[in-house]
Amino acid sequence: MKIIYFDAFSGISGDMCLGALVDAGCPLEEIKNHLAGLNIPGFDLRAEKVQRGPLAGTQVHVQVEEEHHVHRHLADVLQIADRISWPGNVRQRIEQVFTALAQAEGKVHNKPFDHIHFHEVGCFDAIVDISGTLLGLHLLGVERFACSKIPVGEGFSGETQHGRLPLPVPATAELLRGFSLYSNGGTLEMVTPTGAALLNALCAGSSPMPSMILETVGYGAGSRVIEGRPNLLRVFLGEAEAGRDVIAVLETNIDDMNPEFFEPLIESLFQAGALDATLTPIMMKKNRPATQLTVLAPLHLKEELARVVLRQSSTIGLRFYECERRTLLRQSANVSTSWGPIRGKVSWGFGVEKRFTPEYDDCMKIHRETGVPIARIYEEAQRRFDPDSILSSQDNQ
């Protein structure tokens, strides 16, 4: 699994994200050619190596026809995005980012989110920054996202469509709920709404750097040269270490659903990519019997699996949290027995020697055909397993 870690030691913005991905090896021309299909007037995209204090980074310049007094709604932005087809789940993430922006603005201004007018974040260059970043992440094959603590500025912003606003600006503050923030005493806007919206959609909050085998480091340059510190976003890109990863846990308590409906719900969750799903009997208030549904999910599938639960059960809400886990390395294998071949899985790692677990269905089939106790079939299959037949460079994991 490919991991990216956003080290926002100097803040984050949409253009810094795009620059960091290009600096880490994402092909700019491929992004540019794809975004050209949006038919944005005057569109061009170029990158240059720049110096920010003692460090060098990549600054991506987005060229579009200048716009004045932009008043696009969420639907208008998505209509622009729908001018082209997107690979993977890029289109879904574009909608997720701009919906988060609209909801944050809606809360700040006490308006329905779909009535919100996007100003700066609805401009063509912001659309390119966000969609280009999400496309770049897809091209790099990133599946898991994490970020550092976030520095925020103090004081007031420059002039916006809403006048001068306290830092971090209110929409940014809403988008950063759940993240660890700190102030370095600066009076500049360290985090833009586009940068905050990307983090909101991709990361579950601030965290230490996840365990990874590092492949490359990229530096995305902001447009300003700031005295005393390099205005850069650093990203670490690598592969998750075998047997070590972080997953999402989804939980909900259900006390008003026909128990027969749990079976199709569980089947749908596995079809959508759940790692596991379990049902636990619990007692709720007033001694009502209920069922706790627990779903283990890859981080990038948690939103899709949440939709499955909300759509196919009677619950009205879910809990999310991240959980670090350790898993043994696994490999499929067959063994030959006096009753024929039996499939199974070999697992090993973290000091555990290779062990073979026979496939229940294969053993049960032999039991039905021969009458041999299933325990004896299991024992025979495990005895016939040859550990040396499974080769791996990770035996000493």
Side-chain angles (χ1 to χ4, degrees):
M1 178 188 292
K2 192 83 73 177
I3 303 176
I4 194 166
Y5 185 71
F6 296 97
D7 181 18
F9 62 82
S10 193
I12 187 170
S13 63
D15 61 333
M16 292 169 78
C17 287
L18 188 52
L21 297 184
V22 172
D23 199 63
C26 187
L28 180 67
E29 282 302 310
E30 194 166 345
I31 296 175
K32 177 180 174 180
N33 292 340
H34 198 91
L35 296 186
L38 294 174
N39 294 322
I40 292 176
F43 170 73
D44 193 19
L45 205 59
R46 63 180 181 87
E48 68 169 329
K49 212 61 167 168
V50 296
Q51 200 74 19
R52 293 291 180 263
L55 301 176
T58 296
Q59 183 177 7
V60 171
H61 299 275
V62 177
Q63 181 179 314
V64 294
E65 191 172 287
E66 188 175 357
E67 298 182 281
H68 301 282
H69 309 297
V70 177
H71 296 297
R72 292 189 178 96
H73 293 89
L74 174 62
D76 300 320
V77 172
L78 297 181
Q79 194 172 44
I80 294 172
D82 286 337
R83 292 174 182 174
I84 56 177
S85 60
W86 299 90
N89 60 0
V90 175
R91 169 60 176 76
Q92 176 186 329
R93 284 188 172 144
I94 290 172
E95 182 169 353
Q96 191 177 349
V97 170
F98 279 101
T99 299
L101 277 164
Q103 289 173 336
E105 292 281 2
K107 184 169 184 179
V108 167
H109 300 295
N110 195 28
K111 293 181 179 179
F113 76 92
D114 52 352
H115 290 182
I116 285 294
H117 286 109
F118 286 134
H119 297 296
E120 290 89 347
V121 296
C123 292
F124 285 139
D125 56 350
I127 294 172
V128 170
D129 285 340
I130 290 173
S131 58
T133 295
L134 296 172
L135 177 61
L137 290 167
H138 172 80
L139 294 174
L140 289 171
V142 179
E143 296 181 67
R144 182 181 162 200
F145 311 88
C147 74
S148 65
K149 295 181 179 181
I150 310 296
V152 292
E154 299 179 352
F156 286 82
S157 70
E159 287 298 326
T160 72
Q161 293 279 356
H162 299 290
R164 297 187 72 208
L165 298 172
L167 294 176
V169 297
T172 295
E174 285 297 322
L175 289 162
L176 292 178
R177 285 179 179 270
F179 290 81
S180 298
L181 310 183
Y182 68 95
S183 172
N184 61 5
T187 58
L188 297 172
E189 184 177 24
M190 306 285 292
V191 183
T192 67
T194 54
L198 284 163
L199 292 182
N200 179 282
L202 298 173
C203 305
S206 302
S207 68
M209 184 185 295
S211 178
M212 72 169 81
I213 299 172
L214 185 63
E215 294 180 354
T216 185
V217 181
Y219 292 84
S223 57
R224 295 173 302 189
V225 177
I226 301 172
E227 186 69 29
R229 61 177 173 82
N231 187 25
L232 296 163
L233 169 69
R234 179 165 58 173
V235 297
F236 294 86
L237 190 68
E239 283 285 342
E241 289 190 79
R244 303 169 186 262
D245 66 346
V246 175
I247 59 173
V249 181
L250 290 67
E251 289 182 349
T252 186
N253 300 338
I254 301 174
D255 65 356
D256 59 350
M257 190 169 94
N258 184 335
E260 294 176 332
F261 298 163
F262 280 111
E263 182 178 0
L265 171 60
I266 297 294
E267 288 180 0
S268 296
L269 287 167
F270 281 119
Q271 289 171 1
L275 300 170
D276 201 1
T278 59
L279 301 172
T280 306
I282 58 174
M283 299 296 291
M284 295 179 62
K285 60 184 179 181
K286 300 180 181 179
N287 290 324
R288 290 203 305 269
T291 300
Q292 177 178 289
L293 170 67
T294 303
V295 182
L296 305 186
L299 292 178
H300 68 286
L301 290 180
K302 71 175 184 178
E303 295 297 336
E304 176 58 31
L305 291 166
R307 281 191 285 272
V308 172
V309 175
L310 293 170
R311 188 170 59 246
Q312 298 195 31
S313 77
S314 61
T315 190
I316 59 174
L318 286 160
R319 299 181 294 278
F320 292 91
Y321 58 91
E322 290 189 9
C323 177
E324 187 173 355
R325 67 173 184 166
R326 298 289 183 269
T327 57
L328 297 180
L329 298 167
R330 286 159 290 176
Q331 184 173 326
S332 297
N334 294 335
V335 297
S336 297
T337 71
S338 56
W339 306 289
I342 293 178
R343 296 170 300 165
K345 283 189 173 59
V346 183
S347 55
W348 73 97
F350 294 105
V352 176
E353 294 183 356
K354 291 173 183 173
R355 60 194 183 197
F356 179 73
T357 302
E359 183 69 39
Y360 169 80
D361 288 343
D362 285 9
C363 294
M364 195 63 186
K365 182 175 183 291
I366 294 171
H367 164 69
R368 289 187 178 125
E369 292 173 350
T370 66
V372 176
I374 194 168
R376 182 181 162 195
I377 299 170
Y378 261 71
E379 290 169 1
E380 173 76 2
Q382 290 174 326
R383 187 177 63 82
R384 292 292 188 97
F385 169 63
D386 177 12
D388 294 333
S389 66
I390 305 298
L391 302 176
S392 173
S393 62
Q394 304 179 62
D395 283 1
N396 297 321
Q397 169 73 16

